[in-house]
Amino acid sequence: MPNITPTPPGMKAQSSAHDLKSRLEWGEPALTILDARDRQTYNQGHIMGAMPMSMEEMSQGIQPSPSLALNRDIYVYSDSDDQTSQAANLLRNSGFTSVSELKGGLTAWKAIGGPTEGVVESKSPPSASDYNVIGHISESTNR
C-alpha cells in the first residue's frame, strides 16, 4: 500500500511566501526566519517570529547559535530580491548549509495574509492560531 500521508514542503534555494507559510502551518519549529533589513525598518514591521540581522551585521561575520545552527533551515528576506540574494550568499559563505531566499519579502508575505508584528504592523496582538489555517476557518465560520 502506498504512503498517502501528506508531507510538508521541502527546503529550496528560493521560496515563495506560500512555501514558508505552508511549513509554518505544518507546525515545523526547526526553521529560522531572518530579516536582513536595518533595525529601524525591522521594528516598524516584520514577519511574525523573524529575527533581525542586518546586512551590515552579516558582513561582519555570523556566529552559530541554537536558533541559528549551521544546518538549520533559514529563510531570509530583505528590502528587495537582490538584497535578499546578497544576504543569503553571506549566510552560505559563513557555512550555513540550508538557506532559502524568500522571494518578494514582507510585501509578498502580507499579500497572502501572513501574520506580521512591529510598531506599524501590529493592529492587534497575535492570536495562538495565526499560523493555523483551520483555526482561522473555524473562527470565521463561528462568527
Side-chain angles (χ1 to χ4, degrees):
M1 176 178 239
N3 181 3
I4 58 170
T5 305
T7 56
M11 191 71 172
K12 301 183 276 189
Q14 296 181 340
S15 297
S16 70
H18 284 289
D19 294 334
L20 175 56
K21 196 165 188 237
S22 293
R23 285 206 55 193
L24 292 169
E25 287 168 350
W26 270 91
E28 287 193 57
L31 63 88
T32 297
I33 305 167
L34 282 183
D35 186 321
R37 302 172 304 156
D38 66 79
R39 182 60 73 120
Q40 183 176 355
T41 306
Y42 169 86
N43 288 343
Q44 293 301 306
H46 54 270
I47 294 173
M48 183 181 289
M51 293 174 40
M53 184 175 291
S54 70
M55 296 281 284
E56 184 178 321
E57 289 174 272
M58 286 185 200
S59 63
Q60 294 172 5
I62 307 160
Q63 297 301 315
S65 67
S67 60
L68 202 59
L70 290 175
N71 62 349
R72 188 175 182 89
D73 288 355
I74 300 170
Y75 290 83
V76 63
Y77 70 96
S78 192
D79 288 320
S80 69
D81 286 346
D82 285 343
Q83 288 177 348
T84 297
S85 181
Q86 290 172 13
N89 286 331
L90 285 170
L91 288 162
R92 291 177 186 123
N93 292 338
S94 294
F96 294 89
T97 58
S98 188
V99 179
S100 184
E101 302 165 26
L102 185 59
K103 294 306 192 181
L106 184 60
T107 303
W109 182 254
K110 287 167 45 174
I112 65 164
T116 57
E117 56 190 354
V119 175
V120 173
E121 295 298 325
S122 289
K123 295 170 182 64
S124 63
S127 71
S129 68
D130 272 339
Y131 287 125
N132 183 343
V133 172
I134 295 169
H136 284 295
I137 294 168
S138 298
E139 287 173 13
S140 61
T141 9
N142 292 333
R143 291 182 186 168

